[in-house]
Amino acid sequence: MNGAEIHLLLNHIPVVGLFFVVALLAYALIRKNVPLVNICVVITLLLAVVTIPVNNSGEEAEEIVEEMGLDHDLIHEHEEAAE
């Protein structure tokens, strides 16, 4: 598995997970369920940990995609948005 595949595979976990955690946290706060709030904090931390390999695989993914002929300026905009 190369860097581009890793980047694409893991990239969506924090994005989708964020919506899940926000909805779960809203439910936990409405129900005043402290253990569920704590679970939301743990899930948020796990999502943050997943962003590390996403960020680290970005450079290799950039090189692979540039070799395929994708515009460098477009890739650079994506990289700036991620930072």
Side-chain angles (χ1 to χ4, degrees), residues 22-68:
V22 168
L24 191 61
L25 182 61
Y27 175 78
L29 293 174
I30 290 169
R31 304 289 269 172
K32 297 180 182 170
N33 187 335
V34 176
L36 192 54
V37 171
N38 292 338
I39 290 171
C40 290
V41 170
V42 170
I43 293 172
T44 302
L45 292 173
L46 292 174
L47 292 174
V49 168
V50 171
T51 62
I52 295 169
V54 170
N55 188 38
N56 291 341
S57 64
E59 289 295 325
E60 187 179 347
E62 176 183 7
E63 292 173 11
I64 291 169
V65 172
E66 281 182 347
E67 288 176 7
M68 295 170 64

